């Protein structure tokens, strides 16, 4: 099992695993997950890594149909600017491959920010640590386990 699942099991947090057959030709992993699992795209959240102007890497978790507002992320993190991390850098920092980066069980504990829209949901889906694996859990549990701070990060 993935480090994300092991983290949840160790913490005793209730969760549900959903898997699907990943198509390697699909460029939009979150949209693929929502479609394959028959979920509203707003319930599936993507995990993105960004580099702040002070050099820190941070994690942002936003709904799949939205874009990450990099200015809002920088503000939430106390920086002036943010830019998306290069895929290789994200993989090195998290221990996961792009398209399967989970906010849970990452190699390095990074400051994490969860879009405030998650608060209104009973449960959300995030990557389970590999392409084709999603975890359904309560946003409060995700925030607690990752140390995530809520912020308005998503832009339609």
């Amino acid at each position: 099992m993935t480090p994300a699942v092991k983290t949840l099991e160790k913490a005793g947090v209730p969760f549900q695993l959903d898997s699907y057959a990943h198509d390697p030709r699909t460029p939009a992993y979150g949209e693929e997950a929502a479609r394959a699992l028959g979920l509203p795209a707003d319930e599936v959240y993507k995990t993105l890594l960004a580099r702040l102007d002070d050099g820190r890497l941070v994690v942002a978790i936003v709904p799949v149909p939205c874009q990450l507002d990099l200015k809002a992320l920088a503000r939430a993190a106390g920086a002036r600017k943010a830019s998306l991390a290069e895929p290789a850098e994200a993989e090195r920092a998290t221990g996961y491959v792009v398209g399967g980066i989970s906010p849970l069980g990452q190699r390095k504990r990074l400051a994490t920010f969860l879009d405030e829209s998650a608060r209104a949901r009973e449960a959300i889906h995030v990557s389970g640590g590999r392409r084709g694996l999603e975890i359904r859990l309560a946003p409060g549990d995700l925030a607690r386990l990752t140390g995530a701070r809520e912020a308005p990060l998503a832009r339609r």
Side-chain angles (χ1 to χ4, degrees):
M1 214 27 64
T2 67
V5 174
K6 289 177 184 173
T7 297
L8 291 166
E9 288 174 341
K10 183 177 177 184
V13 169
F15 68 96
Q16 174 185 315
L17 278 182
D18 294 309
S19 61
Y20 59 93
H22 165 65
D23 179 353
R25 296 170 302 189
T26 301
Y29 303 107
E31 291 171 11
E32 177 191 32
R35 192 173 49 256
L37 297 172
L39 299 169
D42 282 344
E43 289 181 16
V44 180
Y45 282 61
K46 54 190 170 186
T47 305
L48 303 169
L49 269 73
R51 174 141 325 264
L52 303 176
D53 59 350
D54 62 10
R56 290 180 291 152
L57 270 179
V58 296
V59 176
I61 308 165
V62 297
V64 161
C66 300
Q67 286 187 315
L68 171 61
D69 183 335
L70 290 165
K71 288 181 182 180
L73 175 62
R75 264 192 312 277
R80 290 186 319 273
K81 287 184 175 182
S83 59
L84 287 177
E86 292 296 324
E89 181 178 39
E91 290 179 346
R92 275 192 309 276
T94 63
Y96 294 117
V97 297
V98 170
I101 294 178
S102 178
L104 298 157
Q106 295 183 357
R107 182 176 289 150
K108 290 169 86 176
R109 180 121 182 181
L110 301 171
T112 301
F113 299 87
L114 176 62
D115 184 64
E116 66 185 3
S117 65
R119 174 183 333 145
R121 302 204 169 274
E122 179 182 316
I124 61 172
H125 289 77
V126 296
S127 175
R130 66 173 167 77
R131 295 172 185 159
L133 184 65
E134 291 288 309
I135 295 171
R136 180 183 191 274
L137 77 165
D141 289 334
L142 176 64
R144 185 172 52 79
L145 290 174
T146 61
R149 289 177 269 166
E150 284 186 12
L153 303 176
R155 209 174 46 208
R156 290 260 170 209

